[in-house]
């Protein structure tokens, strides 16, 4: 009998321990499946439900395509598609344990084993058998309750994962000092040289990368993220400010100027402010430059550039590697403060990018200038081609001269669902390129944009010919009121070939609603509404639609 009782006690302890272990392990481990977790993949899964930047870009492009009219889709299917309607298949590497499956499996096994073993041992001792089963079930209940708590806790953790304490290195201010600590709260750097502290934090990340959280405060630093993949640099909102410290150098640089190959993959900069330009007597130039990089997300970042340069994602040399899969989202760009006398530069420069998105951002450029807000012509090299890049859902406020300028080398791009208010609205297709560089613009879409109280036209491709601008769709835009009546601003001044202008509403331009230059060829203008055109009037009355030459032009149902 003593042996029976010893065996009963052993079985009880094993059963109870197993129940507790099930709860503990499910609480402590939401394990990666198939390898180490990737912080960038986890961020993408948390915020977007995809596992790569390429998939996210495909998802955005799919959203664009789903709302595009059938006739435009048909045009694009014939003329090498601007957008893809297929999302890259997901290969998610990180999954949580299926908690309830584990509960059922472990409960069944333990119950069956315990019941059979104890039934044979106790043999008719009903009181002991009932007591044993109660204790076994109590142990299992602890395990089940632990797993239920684990499930709810894990869900809460995933929701708040990148906002509450899940970091690999924490950087905070202590007076004039910046301090970096690891997950065990060991101090890895402390100095009044904020650049060295943040660079030490970046270098301290393991080979798989990681997340650096910058607590609120002003950090005077010039930061470089290069030769280190899967890095997340995140703040606590725009109260986390990185301000350039070295005169003439970018405040934050991703990649390496002039490198001939990609030097960094997987970088996310999120939820902070970056300052550059002239301030405190320093020429800090660019706020943020993204170079020789792949799979980059810049999200919810405020850029204050003091009219020098807010953002540069471009090439500097003929051999510099192009960026790939770049997303700029929810930016706030303040380029409104005047620079020193004689200094004028475009706040944003884009070129040399394969696949990217600029979306849901606000831009203010209130200082009079002869430079466009966004310059697509920087460098003028053959590798400066901008391809598969889409500008979606932004607000451009009080811009001077032009919103977009350059477009010397652009292919398969769209400008869609943007608002242009209280300033310039022009997208200028320039014709000057470097020696030996090909002038090209192919398959460009301007759709669903809104232009209100602007000082000039919306699109100017009048100087482009049938060979250097091939394929442009201008559809479903609303242009309402040109406020400058000192000259004739045409809403759409067009040159090039294979152009469709349809379903637009144009109200009160100072010049013509649609002006086709002598360079226009194979143009369809149909079903547009043009109201109160040529507001400037007088001897320069232009008319709603003006054709100044061209070839194979069809005007119908306007």
């Amino acid at each position: 009998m003593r042996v029976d009782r010893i065996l009963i006690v052993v079985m009880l302890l094993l059963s109870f321990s197993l129940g507790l272990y099930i709860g503990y392990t499910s609480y402590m481990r939401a394990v990666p499946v198939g390898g180490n977790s990737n912080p960038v993949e986890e961020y993408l899964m948390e915020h977007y439900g995809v596992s790569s930047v390429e998939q996210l870009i495909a998802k955005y492009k799919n959203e664009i395509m789903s709302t595009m009219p059938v006739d435009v889709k048909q045009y694009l299917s014939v003329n090498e598609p601007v957008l893809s309607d297929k999302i890259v298949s997901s290969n998610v590497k990180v999954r949580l344990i299926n908690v309830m499956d584990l509960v059922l499996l472990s409960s069944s096994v333990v119950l069956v084993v315990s019941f059979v073993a104890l039934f044979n041992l106790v043999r008719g001792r009903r009181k002991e058998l009932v007591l044993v089963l109660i204790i076994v079930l109590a142990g299992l209940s602890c395990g089940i309750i632990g797993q239920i708590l684990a499930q709810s806790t894990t869900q809460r953790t995933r929701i708040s994962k990148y906002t509450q304490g899940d970091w690999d290195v924490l950087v905070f201010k202590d007076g004039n000092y910046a301090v970096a600590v690891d997950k065990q709260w060991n101090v890895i750097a402390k100095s009044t040289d904020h650049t060295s502290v943040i660079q030490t934090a970046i270098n301290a990340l393991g080979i798989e990368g990681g997340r650096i959280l910058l607590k609120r405060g002003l950090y005077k630093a010039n930061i470089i993220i290069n030769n280190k993949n899967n890095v997340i640099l995140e703040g606590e909102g725009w109260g986390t400010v990185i301000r350039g410290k070295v005169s003439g150098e970018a405040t934050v640089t991703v990649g390496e100027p002039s490198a001939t190959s990609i030097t960094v993959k997987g970088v996310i900069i999120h939820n902070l402010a970056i300052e550059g330009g002239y301030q405190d007597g320093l020429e800090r130039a660019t706020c943020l430059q993204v170079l020789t990089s792949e799979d980059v997300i810049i999200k919810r970042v405020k850029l204050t550039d003091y009219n020098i340069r807010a953002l540069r994602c471009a090439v500097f040399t003929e051999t510099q590697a192009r960026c790939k899969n770049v997303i700029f989202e929810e930016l706030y760009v303040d380029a409104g403060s005047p620079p020193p006398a004689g200094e004028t530069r475009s706040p944003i420069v884009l070129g040399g990018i394969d696949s990217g998105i600029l979306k849901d951002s606000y831009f203010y450029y209130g200082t009079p200038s002869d430079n466009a807000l966004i310059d697509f012509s920087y460098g003028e090299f053959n590798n400066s081609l901008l391809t598969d890049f889409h500008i979606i859902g932004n607000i451009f406020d009080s811009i001077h001269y032009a919103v977009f300028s350059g477009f010397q080398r652009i292919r398969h791009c769209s400008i869609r669902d943007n608002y242009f208010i209280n300033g310039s609205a022009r997208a200028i297709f320039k014709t000057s390129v470097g020696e030996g560089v090909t002038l090209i613009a192919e398959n460009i879409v301007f759709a669903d944009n809104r232009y209100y109280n602007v000082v000039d036209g919306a699109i100017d491709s009048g100087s482009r010919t049938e060979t250097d601008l091939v394929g442009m769709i201008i559809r479903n835009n609303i242009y309402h009121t040109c406020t400058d009546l000192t000259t004739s601003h045409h809403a759409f001044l067009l040159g090039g070939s294979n152009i469709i202008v349809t379903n637009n509403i144009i109200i009160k331009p100072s010049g013509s609603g649609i002006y086709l230059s002598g360079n226009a060829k194979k143009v369809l203008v149909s079903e547009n509404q043009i109201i109160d055109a040529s507001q400037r009037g007088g001897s320069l009355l232009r008319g709603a639609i003006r054709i100044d030459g061209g070839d194979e032009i069809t005007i119908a149902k306007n």
Side-chain angles (χ1 to χ4, degrees):
M1 288 296 178
R2 181 171 297 180
V3 174
D4 289 351
R5 291 181 179 179
I6 291 173
L7 290 174
I8 290 172
V9 172
V10 171
M11 290 300 300
L12 286 174
L13 291 175
L14 288 175
S15 301
F16 190 83
S17 300
L18 181 58
L20 290 177
Y21 178 75
I22 293 169
Y24 176 78
T25 53
S26 64
Y27 183 83
M28 296 298 294
R29 297 173 59 201
V31 299
V33 176
N36 294 326
S37 62
N38 180 316
V40 170
E41 285 184 358
E42 291 182 1
Y43 178 98
L44 289 167
M45 287 299 298
E46 290 293 329
H47 291 268
Y48 301 101
V50 298
S51 60
S52 72
V53 177
E54 185 176 8
Q55 291 176 22
L56 180 56
I57 291 175
K59 178 180 178 180
Y60 283 146
K61 291 193 291 186
N62 187 57
E63 292 173 358
I64 299 170
M65 201 70 176
S66 66
T67 61
M68 192 166 285
V70 174
D71 58 342
V72 177
K73 289 182 181 179
Q74 291 173 344
Y75 173 86
L76 295 176
S77 67
V78 174
N79 297 271
E80 193 175 352
V82 175
L83 305 171
S84 170
D85 59 352
K86 295 181 180 179
I87 298 179
V88 179
S89 61
S90 177
N91 181 22
V92 180
K93 295 182 180 179
V94 180
R95 295 184 178 91
L96 291 177
I97 297 173
N98 190 321
V99 175
M100 294 314 298
D101 285 349
L102 184 58
V103 170
L104 293 174
L105 177 62
S106 59
S107 300
S108 301
V109 171
V110 174
L111 280 175
V112 170
V113 172
S114 299
F115 184 79
V116 172
L118 292 174
F119 181 79
N120 289 329
L121 288 171
V122 177
R123 295 179 184 176
R125 297 180 182 179
R126 295 181 179 178
K127 292 183 180 180
E128 287 89 344
L129 179 59
V130 171
L131 180 61
V132 167
L133 291 177
I134 289 173
I135 295 175
V136 170
L137 290 174
L140 290 173
S141 297
C142 290
I144 293 171
I145 292 170
Q147 295 203 50
I148 292 172
L149 291 174
Q151 173 122 338
S152 61
T153 302
T154 299
Q155 289 174 344
R156 289 196 300 271
T157 301
R158 284 170 64 82
I159 291 170
S160 62
K161 190 165 190 177
Y162 290 95
T163 57
Q164 296 181 5
D166 189 8
W167 38 263
D168 296 289
V169 179
L170 179 69
V171 179
F172 59 91
K173 290 294 295 295
D174 181 10
N176 291 328
Y177 287 87
V179 183
V181 298
D182 63 17
K183 298 192 77 167
Q184 288 72 45
W185 294 95
N186 299 311
V187 176
I188 59 176
K190 180 177 181 180
S191 175
T192 55
D193 182 354
H194 301 169
T195 296
S196 67
V197 172
I198 298 175
Q199 286 296 153
T200 299
I202 294 171
N203 296 334
L205 298 177
I207 191 171
E208 72 280 2
R211 175 176 179 255
I212 299 170
L213 177 62
L214 294 178
K215 299 289 285 184
R216 294 175 66 88
L218 173 61
Y219 300 87
K220 295 184 177 182
N222 296 81
I223 300 168
I224 299 174
I225 302 174
N226 192 37
N227 297 316
K228 176 75 73 171
N229 297 336
N230 302 319
V231 175
I232 299 174
L233 182 65
E234 186 167 5
E236 291 190 319
W238 293 346
T240 299
V241 180
I242 305 174
R243 179 183 294 172
K245 180 181 179 181
V246 179
S247 183
E249 291 190 9
T251 304
V252 177
T253 298
V254 179
E256 181 180 338
S258 304
T260 57
S261 61
I262 294 294
T263 60
V264 61
K265 294 183 179 181
V267 174
I268 296 172
I269 300 176
H270 179 218
N271 207 29
L272 48 79
I274 303 173
E275 294 184 357
Y278 284 91
Q279 190 176 324
D280 301 334
L282 296 177
E283 180 192 354
R284 277 192 285 274
T286 304
C287 290
L288 170 65
Q289 58 182 5
V290 179
L291 315 167
T292 65
S293 308
E294 183 174 336
D295 298 336
V296 177
I297 296 177
I298 311 297
K299 180 175 181 180
R300 206 168 295 147
V301 172
K302 181 180 180 182
L303 302 174
T304 306
D305 78 333
Y306 302 97
N307 213 0
I308 300 300
R309 192 87 74 212
L311 171 65
R312 177 162 48 194
C313 184
V315 295
F316 301 120
T317 69
E318 187 70 51
T319 59
Q320 180 177 322
R322 297 157 53 77
C323 290
K324 182 178 181 181
N325 299 336
V326 182
I327 296 177
F328 304 104
E329 184 174 6
E330 298 179 32
L331 304 183
Y332 181 97
V333 179
D334 179 2
S337 300
E343 289 286 349
T344 55
R345 301 180 190 175
S346 296
I348 299 173
V349 173
L350 300 174
I353 304 173
D354 290 321
S355 191
I357 303 280
L358 170 61
K359 72 186 298 284
D360 299 336
S361 299
Y362 176 84
F363 300 87
Y364 176 79
Y365 190 19
T367 301
S369 172
D370 291 333
N371 292 82
L373 172 71
I374 302 179
D375 188 350
F376 294 95
S377 63
Y378 189 82
E380 298 185 0
F381 306 111
N382 276 310
N383 63 333
S384 65
L385 179 69
L386 187 75
T387 181
D388 197 17
F389 194 90
H390 308 281
I391 300 173
I392 311 165
N394 304 285
I395 297 175
F396 300 95
D397 186 6
S398 302
I399 310 301
H400 287 264
Y401 178 59
V403 179
F404 312 116
S405 182
F407 291 131
Q408 282 99 326
R409 295 180 53 75
I410 180 171
R411 176 183 286 152
H412 311 325
C413 298
S414 66
I415 298 170
R416 184 182 174 97
D417 288 314
N418 301 284
Y419 280 81
F420 304 85
I421 57 176
N422 305 322
S424 177
R426 280 198 299 171
I428 303 175
F429 289 76
K430 289 185 175 180
T431 57
S432 58
V433 290
E435 184 177 353
V437 177
T438 304
L439 184 67
I440 185 171
E442 290 182 353
N443 290 349
I444 316 301
V445 175
F446 290 86
D448 303 301
N449 299 292
R450 303 294 180 261
Y451 305 87
Y452 295 118
N453 295 323
V454 294
V455 297
D456 53 21
I459 302 171
D460 181 359
S461 67
S463 58
R464 299 298 279 264
T465 69
E466 63 180 279
T467 59
D468 58 50
L469 192 161
V470 182
M472 182 162 62
I473 297 171
I474 303 170
R475 181 186 175 91
N476 202 34
N477 302 283
I478 297 176
Y479 177 98
H480 197 309
T481 307
C482 178
T483 58
D484 180 13
L485 302 181
T486 62
T487 189
S488 295
H489 298 290
H490 314 295
F492 303 137
L493 171 57
L494 306 176
S497 62
N498 294 353
I499 299 173
I500 298 174
V501 186
T502 183
N503 292 106
N504 300 285
I505 299 174
I506 302 171
I507 303 171
K508 294 185 177 180
S510 65
S512 298
I514 301 170
Y515 187 121
L516 303 180
S517 76
N519 295 324
K521 184 176 182 179
K522 297 181 180 178
V523 180
L524 170 63
V525 179
S526 69
E527 300 184 78
N528 301 283
Q529 298 182 54
I530 304 173
I531 302 168
D532 293 338
S534 302
Q535 286 290 300
R536 186 183 180 197
S539 60
L540 295 178
L541 185 67
R542 300 297 187 184
I545 300 176
R546 177 173 176 176
I547 304 172
D548 196 12
D551 192 16
E552 299 182 54
I553 295 171
T554 302
I555 310 292
K557 299 181 182 180
N558 296 285

